[in-house]
Amino acid sequence: MAKRTFSGFEIFLIFLLVLMTGITVALLSLLFITSGTIENHTGSPSTQGPPATQGSAAPQNSTPPWGPTTTQASPTPSTPEPTLFQNFSGYHIGVGRADCTGQVSDINLMGYSKTGQYARGILTRLYSRAFIMAEPDGSNRVVFVSIDIGMVSQRLRLEVLSRLQNKYGSLYRRDNVILSGTHTHSGPAGYFQYTTFVIASEGFSNRTFEYMVTGIVQSIEIAHTNMKPGKIFINKGTVDGAQINRSPTSYLRNPQSERASWFAIHPVSMKNTNHLVNSDNVGYASYLFEQEKNKGYLPGEGPYVAAFASSNLGDVSPNVLGPHCTNTGESCENANSSCPIGGPSVCVAVGPGQDMFESTQIIGRIIYDKAKELYESASQEVTGPLASAHQWVNMTDVTVWLNSTHTAKTCKPALGYSFAAGTIDGFGTLNFTQGMMEGDSFWDTLRDQVLGKPSEEIKECHKPKPVLLHTGELLRPHPWHPDIVDVQIVTLGFLAITAIPGEFTTMSGRRLRQAVREEFEAYGMLNMTVVISGLCNVYTHYITTYEEYQAQRYEAASTIYGPHTLSAYIQLFRVLAKAIATGTVANLSSGPEPPFFEELMSPLIPNIVDRVPLGTTFGDILLPANSTYRVGEVVEVTFVGANPKNSAENRTHQTFLTVEKYEATSDTWQITHNDASWETRFYWHKGLLGLSNATIQWHIPDTAQPGTYRIKYFGHSRKQDSLKPAVLLSFESTPSVFEVITTW
């Protein structure tokens, strides 16, 4: 067969496709649930929260791994510095929740790195949930923030810490603040500074970056303002039927004696065909818990905050029916995750629901049900002093002691061939397979022509990984991957939280927990419970064991610092554990400070003026609701729309939609649902030359009361007159009114 030649432009496009296949990954089941009174971030008055009850948390051997706290409800203090009570045996605890959704259109969704998977609306809002714990005298405190985003970027963390320092001085610092992403694959991209992720995001979106930073800081501010006496309880249990290991052939390379372990869960129930921003299965678990505790509040409001944070989810999938060939139905559970006909692109993991919406609900409810059970039965109280330790480390140059006489080193970052294959949860767009142990001459030549050849040093260091992208040697326009990463531990009495800058596999997490526990014990801190918080502070892809690395499936090909990455992290976290145990944290060097890049690539999709069809205005109804519906049916209304990304800049409206019920006794309309409600969906349909439509759906729940309802749409349009700057104008629609009945 004759060889095909490619133009320079075709080569460039093919190479971009390779880059877009990465970052698919893993997540979760680390539970941190807190009850207390918080100030509602939308400005409505707070009320007394539920009575103090026992909390729950599962540290290890199961999911979810760590713990709820409970606080006694009291009126929200208005002073910026809360009064701490000296004669209290527990902790002082504050909780806060704030919107961090970002833009919901004209931006890639972060996680699958699938070309064309742009946000086109919203299923649920994304939230930052902050928890502050302080000793009774206020001498030490720690902050844990779980954020409904794919992962925390280094730029995001640095900006949050800067704003906290400007407001609170040295109270909240790099050592005592953990930022952790839940790893939803349905949140907006665009908030990164390293070139690999900027390319995957198709640019840096300052609009989304500012929205996220503001939400994270606001959640911490709310928690800070609402601190009060409380107690922390921890619990553990087994979650059945919610997850499978998606790389079992790699996992089985680990020693048999180590394989009896637990694993977390990946928020990838929503597939790479989804275009609605949402928090996926763990977000649905938070939604259920908060709705249960915050009776009478809309989603995202109310005093109770429930976070399901990420853990060592690297090789875990919620698609429990496993991988099957979509064309034949046969299993494709093999080392290459490939089908006899169609290859890896038709090997897809599915389940347990009929579609991704139902699967998300099923998995989320399984997690919620177990969490609620553990919460209600928890009796082991966490007590003891608080401590924290942090270092910045150059992960490209860590000397690892393999034993007393032999050493190895970490590598400059590189991605292997199987990185481009994706996983059974989201395959790559080109015909790469998992488990590739050799390169390909075509792709090698293409890479060499576009980016230059990788050095022999980096190829040798990463063996047996065949290097596809030598990102550690690519520095334009900025470095393609981070050299400087965070390692961090905070302790609350006997509970140690290790903040991991990436996605540990099941066995990697087990080994780290064991090593940290042993280090604490060696210096007198016995019976420590060590848990892993994933996707923290900076994103560095995956971390597999040395044995798993030899198989070179997706997770190993995405272990960017080479085969000894896990050993390096274990060594570094041992240093932090020893410093806490021996009281020598002050002697730790801070390490090399990471960069903060200012000039980043602008989004590829430009801002344009919104326009309306002749004779209409924004918010006019194009397709009204029917006159009558019954429970279980779907109400659908289409309006003249404007680009929803405008609402990430002008936040006059806090929702894109409301479902409202008419109350005859008071002659008022009461909001029953908003765009954070699982029962609503907001779709944006982009047209030409600034024209667009917005479709709102309400899936009427069984709990809906019969009566008169209406749906309203809220948005912002971009207007620009000649030679003047653009302005964003808020609008709301004409309501579409209908009746809900229980029977015909």
Side-chain angles (χ1 to χ4, degrees):
M1 181 182 294
K3 293 184 178 179
R4 180 186 170 186
T5 59
F6 295 85
S7 69
F9 182 68
E10 286 176 314
I11 290 174
F12 178 71
L13 289 179
I14 292 172
F15 189 75
L16 282 182
L17 285 174
V18 176
L19 294 178
M20 298 301 178
T21 59
I23 323 173
T24 318
V25 309
L27 195 140
L28 177 130
S29 250
L30 180 73
L31 171 65
F32 191 95
I33 301 175
T34 297
S35 155
T37 305
I38 67 172
E39 181 179 341
N40 188 288
H41 67 271
T42 60
S44 58
S46 61
T47 63
Q48 288 229 329
T53 59
Q54 291 179 335
S56 71
Q60 57 182 21
N61 302 325
S62 65
T63 61
W66 66 275
T69 68
T70 62
T71 68
Q72 187 169 351
S74 60
T76 302
S78 59
T79 55
E81 290 295 334
T83 301
L84 298 180
F85 301 90
Q86 299 285 338
N87 299 319
F88 182 71
S89 61
Y91 300 103
H92 287 83
I93 302 169
V95 300
R97 176 185 53 244
D99 180 13
C100 65
T101 303
Q103 67 190 76
V104 301
S105 65
D106 280 355
I107 195 168
N108 267 3
L109 298 181
M110 190 63 195
Y112 290 112
S113 291
K114 180 183 177 182
T115 302
Q117 194 190 6
Y118 298 114
R120 289 285 183 263
I122 186 170
L123 174 61
T124 61
R125 287 207 166 256
L126 309 180
Y127 292 102
S128 173
R129 295 176 171 91
F131 306 85
I132 302 177
M133 289 71 67
E135 293 178 355
D137 62 0
S139 57
N140 294 305
R141 63 179 60 199
V142 296
V143 182
F144 181 85
V145 188
S146 178
I147 314 159
D148 289 334
I149 56 177
M151 60 284 292
V152 175
S153 76
Q154 191 173 77
R155 198 176 201 276
L156 197 69
R157 173 171 165 83
L158 292 174
E159 183 63 24
V160 167
L161 291 176
S162 175
R163 296 190 189 185
L164 291 175
Q165 183 182 33
N166 289 340
K167 182 163 186 175
Y168 299 107
S170 62
L171 192 60
Y172 301 119
R173 311 172 303 273
R174 59 181 173 82
D175 65 294
N176 68 353
V177 175
I178 295 177
L179 303 183
S180 173
T182 64
H183 204 41
T184 175
H185 285 44
S186 296
Y191 55 96
F192 300 87
Q193 66 175 3
Y194 291 101
T195 301
T196 298
F197 309 128
V198 173
I199 292 175
S201 302
E202 297 187 10
F204 174 77
S205 169
N206 192 63
R207 177 190 294 111
T208 288
F209 179 78
E210 282 293 325
Y211 200 121
M212 289 180 174
V213 170
T214 300
I216 295 167
V217 172
Q218 187 177 17
S219 69
I220 296 172
E221 290 172 345
I222 294 170
H224 174 89
T225 303
N226 289 280
M227 295 185 72
K228 56 182 63 68
K231 294 178 181 291
I232 300 174
F233 293 87
I234 192 168
N235 203 356
K236 62 182 179 181
T238 301
V239 180
D240 294 319
Q243 66 274 89
I244 61 173
N245 192 300
R246 71 181 186 189
S247 286
T249 54
S250 294
Y251 184 76
L252 291 173
R253 287 176 174 258
N254 297 304
Q256 172 65 39
S257 60
E258 292 186 283
R259 295 206 298 262
S261 179
W262 69 283
F263 48 85
I265 192 169
H266 228 100
V268 287
S269 292
M270 298 297 292
K271 311 300 286 183
N272 63 8
T273 55
N274 169 59
H275 292 275
L276 298 181
V277 167
N278 69 88
S279 53
D280 212 284
N281 46 42
V282 292
Y284 186 66
S286 290
Y287 174 86
L288 291 174
F289 219 133
E290 290 180 346
Q291 288 294 97
E292 169 67 24
K293 292 293 186 179
N294 294 322
K295 298 290 188 182
Y297 286 92
L298 291 170
E301 301 177 7
Y304 192 89
V305 177
F308 289 76
S310 60
S311 188
N312 54 316
L313 45 74
D315 52 357
V316 183
S317 170
N319 296 305
V320 294
L321 299 184
H324 291 80
C325 301
T326 57
N327 51 1
T328 66
E330 62 183 303
S331 172
C332 48
E333 185 67 87
N334 54 63
N336 303 113
S337 296
S338 185
C339 295
I341 302 173
S345 64
V346 295
C347 180
V348 179
V350 296
Q354 294 298 311
D355 58 33
M356 58 185 170
F357 296 96
E358 185 182 16
S359 291
T360 300
Q361 289 180 284
I362 292 172
I363 297 298
R365 182 166 289 280
I366 290 173
I367 299 169
Y368 158 73
D369 286 341
K370 175 56 68 171
K372 185 179 179 183
E373 174 192 322
L374 296 174
Y375 173 83
E376 293 172 345
S377 64
S379 59
Q380 184 181 10
E381 185 178 354
V382 176
T383 60
L386 305 180
S388 58
H390 171 279
Q391 284 186 307
W392 284 307
V393 179
N394 184 348
M395 275 301 292
T396 70
D397 191 28
V398 178
T399 299
V400 179
W401 285 90
L402 302 177
N403 52 46
S404 60
T405 58
H406 291 77
T407 64
K409 294 198 72 173
T410 53
C411 312
K412 291 181 179 180
L415 292 164
Y417 265 76
S418 295
F419 157 81
T423 73
I424 59 173
D425 294 322
F427 55 84
T429 54
L430 298 172
N431 198 30
F432 290 81
T433 61
Q434 296 199 62
M436 293 182 70
M437 304 302 293
E438 296 181 355
D440 178 271
S441 59
F442 170 77
W443 293 111
D444 283 348
T445 301
L446 178 61
R447 174 203 60 213
D448 295 348
Q449 290 179 349
V450 176
L451 298 174
K453 293 182 178 181
S455 68
E456 290 301 317
E457 176 188 3
I458 201 169
K459 290 193 292 185
E460 185 66 26
C461 188
H462 278 271
K463 283 183 176 179
K465 176 196 292 179
V467 172
L468 176 63
L469 295 172
H470 49 303
T471 54
E473 297 177 332
L474 303 176
L475 305 177
R476 295 181 180 178
H478 297 294
W480 283 42
H481 269 139
D483 290 345
I484 311 303
V485 305
D486 301 67
V487 291
Q488 182 182 16
I489 298 178
V490 302
T491 58
L492 298 81
F494 62 82
L495 175 65
I497 305 166
T498 58
I500 304 303
E503 304 179 52
F504 272 43
T505 61
T506 300
M507 188 59 73
S508 293
R510 183 187 184 280
R511 290 183 185 176
L512 178 72
R513 289 195 304 273
Q514 180 175 335
V516 171
R517 187 182 307 112
E518 290 173 350
E519 194 72 14
F520 277 123
E521 290 178 354
Y523 293 94
M525 293 182 68
L526 305 179
N527 302 316
M528 292 292 289
T529 294
V530 181
V531 297
I532 287 176
S533 175
L535 291 305
C536 292
N537 302 335
V538 57
Y539 186 62
T540 62
H541 296 265
Y542 286 76
I543 300 92
T544 65
T545 67
Y546 180 84
E547 295 89 340
E548 292 164 347
Y549 191 89
Q550 309 309 306
Q552 280 302 299
R553 282 176 61 84
Y554 173 80
E555 295 83 11
S558 304
T559 298
I560 63 174
Y561 299 115
H564 301 290
T565 301
L566 174 60
S567 296
Y569 276 123
I570 288 174
Q571 188 171 291
L572 293 165
F573 277 95
R574 279 185 178 273
V575 170
L576 300 184
K578 178 181 177 180
I580 291 175
T582 59
T584 58
V585 171
N587 298 335
L588 289 173
S589 66
S590 60
E593 191 167 346
F596 187 92
F597 303 126
E598 295 288 353
E599 300 297 327
L600 298 170
M601 185 177 79
S602 298
L604 298 183
I605 301 176
N607 297 321
I608 62 173
V609 172
D610 292 293
R611 293 184 172 85
V612 298
L614 188 64
T616 66
T617 188
F618 295 108
D620 281 358
I621 298 174
L622 295 176
L623 292 174
N626 297 333
S627 59
T628 305
Y629 295 88
R630 59 180 175 181
V631 168
E633 294 186 328
V634 180
V635 184
E636 184 171 293
V637 187
T638 299
F639 302 88
V640 175
N643 197 319
K645 72 179 178 183
N646 300 331
S647 297
E649 291 182 63
N650 184 335
R651 297 175 65 182
T652 306
H653 303 302
Q654 301 297 316
T655 180
F656 287 106
L657 65 92
T658 57
V659 178
E660 304 173 10
K661 184 177 184 294
Y662 179 68
E663 299 295 342
T665 55
S666 59
D667 191 28
T668 59
W669 291 90
Q670 299 296 319
I671 298 174
T672 62
H673 297 79
N674 57 16
D675 65 8
S677 303
W678 180 264
E679 295 84 3
T680 62
R681 299 174 192 176
F682 173 79
Y683 295 92
W684 181 63
H685 312 285
K686 187 174 185 177
L688 298 175
L689 302 175
L691 296 172
S692 67
N693 296 338
T695 297
I696 294 172
Q697 290 183 350
W698 179 38
H699 294 244
I700 306 175
D702 295 340
T703 55
Q705 297 297 311
T708 302
Y709 288 81
R710 70 182 185 185
I711 286 177
K712 295 182 72 175
Y713 161 45
F714 303 86
H716 297 87
S717 62
R718 180 177 296 274
K719 179 182 179 182
Q720 186 167 19
D721 296 326
S722 299
L723 304 178
K724 293 183 179 180
V727 294
L728 300 178
L729 305 175
S730 65
F731 66 86
E732 61 180 80
S733 73
T734 305
S736 184
V737 181
F738 54 92
E739 297 288 326
V740 171
I741 61 176
T742 54
T743 59
W744 290 116

